[in-house]
Amino acid sequence: MRSEIAEQPAALRATLDALLPRIPDVTSLAGQTRHLLFIARGTSDNAAVYGRYLIESHAGRLAALAAPSIATTYRRKLDLDGVLAVAVSQSGRTEEIVETLDWARDCGAKTVAITNGGEQSPLARAADLALCTVAGEEKAVPATKTYTTQLAAMAVLALGLGADVHQDDLQRVPDAIQKLIEDPGDIDALVEGLADKPGVVVSGRGLAFSTALELALKLKEACYLHAMGLSYADLLHGPIAVVDADTPAILVAAGEGPTLPGTIALAERVTGAGAASYGVGGGHALANVSTASLNGPDLPEWVAPLGLIVPGQLLTEALARRLGYDPDAPRGLNKVTQTDE
């Protein structure tokens, strides 16, 4: 896992070299559609959450997350005329995702695959357009480089949809991630702060919400923590009651953007209640009100999630080893998960 975290800058450069020339293909296919439907599970579902927020906030199109069971279990046909269905799978071999993309096409949708499985994977072959990431083989069960390259593919998708962003920001991502790998912040303080805790709340909002969900998933699967990933808006509607001396909060934010002030206010509320609040990103403003913090990327909010997860990946790997677990092979998990119908 640690080696694959370090491979992310190179994987992202290769993926951007491969996918940025496909922007016109995205534009052509998407011109026949109005809305987006993301089809995914697990880590890929968290990448889809980023895609949804990015497309809605910067491309002005309605986007939603599919419930694959509608296709595979209930077998209900829907009218998907005018929909761009985007299926996301690291391997491209998850049968449920391939079947749901086939269902979407049969319901009238145009289809896109985002996968690291290559052009010959079942998912890529099922799609009208395949955006294949170039992360190389990933051996550790917890996804790292396949996740960040999925986010890069989502950013390329947004550019193809006419998002009001600058492509140059995306091309700065590999260097920003390399800097985070070299200087992630106070990993040791967070490891020691979490080592004797049974659970943790991980929260972010807007574009950073995907990072909160993904970090919570990593802490669950590799460290066996009861980690709850929540939007901070949802956290304030009741679940904040679980935050106490035994259940700290990890709060995630870009260094700029409309959700940063609320994240800072939440950190102050958490520490004011006597609980630990660990910041990820958010610049000096979040770090100054946190118990300890990890660095964020020097990137605009729209691409910040590609970097924000990296210190969280390093934290997960270090905490797993501190707890005596092998982060590369969590119990009960396989690299490709098939879901029974």
Side-chain angles (χ1 to χ4, degrees):
M1 182 179 179
R2 182 63 182 82
S3 296
E4 288 168 355
I5 291 170
E7 292 167 8
Q8 288 177 112
L12 284 160
R13 290 187 185 99
T15 294
L16 293 175
D17 286 346
L19 295 188
L20 285 171
R22 307 299 302 276
I23 289 174
D25 299 330
V26 174
T27 303
S28 176
L29 183 64
Q32 308 169 54
T33 65
R34 300 184 307 277
H35 309 310
L36 278 81
L37 182 68
F38 290 103
I39 302 165
R41 291 288 192 194
T43 287
S44 297
D45 205 34
N46 297 334
V49 170
Y50 167 69
R52 177 190 177 185
Y53 276 87
L54 178 59
I55 297 305
E56 291 193 339
S57 64
H58 288 284
R61 293 195 186 209
L62 182 66
L65 305 181
S69 61
I70 297 300
T72 63
T73 302
Y74 291 96
R75 302 191 179 280
R76 176 72 184 189
K77 296 277 284 189
L78 302 179
D79 181 2
L80 298 184
D81 182 49
V83 170
L84 183 66
V86 182
V88 194
S89 167
Q90 290 146 13
S91 69
R93 294 184 286 116
T94 301
E95 293 172 2
E96 180 190 33
I97 302 305
V98 177
E99 182 179 346
T100 304
L101 190 66
D102 286 337
W103 163 87
R105 184 193 60 243
D106 292 343
C107 291
K110 302 298 181 183
T111 57
V112 173
I114 293 177
T115 180
N116 197 53
E119 296 282 352
Q120 296 307 310
S121 65
L123 189 65
R125 292 200 307 268
D128 296 321
L129 173 65
L131 299 178
C132 294
T133 59
V134 191
E137 182 183 7
E138 189 171 62
K139 296 181 180 179
V141 170
T144 53
K145 60 181 181 175
T146 54
Y147 174 72
T148 49
T149 53
Q150 282 179 340
L151 299 189
M154 292 291 180
V156 169
L157 181 71
L159 289 167
L161 293 170
D164 56 353
V165 295
H166 298 291
Q167 183 176 318
D168 289 351
D169 295 335
L170 182 57
Q171 293 173 310
R172 290 171 47 208
V173 168
D175 288 342
I177 287 181
Q178 183 62 51
K179 184 176 179 181
L180 285 172
I181 292 170
E182 295 169 358
D183 182 19
D186 201 350
I187 293 281
D188 290 344
L190 269 73
V191 167
E192 291 308 310
L194 296 173
D196 63 344
K197 300 297 188 292
V200 61
V201 171
V202 190
S203 186
R205 193 173 188 186
L207 286 157
F209 179 40
S210 57
T211 307
L213 293 173
E214 175 62 9
L215 178 51
L217 177 59
K218 289 290 166 283
L219 292 171
K220 290 173 188 174
E221 65 184 0
C223 303
Y224 314 143
L225 284 183
H226 294 285
M228 183 187 306
L230 289 169
S231 161
Y232 73 59
D234 288 327
L235 177 61
L236 293 172
H237 280 83
I240 196 168
V242 306
V243 176
D244 58 22
D246 291 323
T247 309
I250 299 176
L251 305 181
V252 184
E256 61 172 32
T259 68
L260 180 57
T263 307
I264 294 168
L266 180 56
E268 292 172 330
R269 179 170 174 177
V270 169
T271 55
S277 174
Y278 300 117
V280 179
H284 294 299
L286 182 58
N288 289 341
V289 296
S290 299
T291 307
S293 63
L294 302 181
N295 296 331
D298 181 17
L299 293 168
E301 185 197 23
W302 80 276
V303 285
L306 281 75
L308 279 171
I309 190 57
V310 173
Q313 294 169 344
L314 292 167
L315 168 64
T316 298
E317 196 272 346
L319 180 59
R321 296 198 181 280
R322 169 69 171 77
L323 296 172
Y325 304 133
D326 179 0
D328 298 339
R331 64 192 182 208
L333 295 177
N334 296 309
K335 192 62 184 167
V336 178
T337 301
Q338 303 292 6
T339 305
D340 293 335
E341 294 184 5

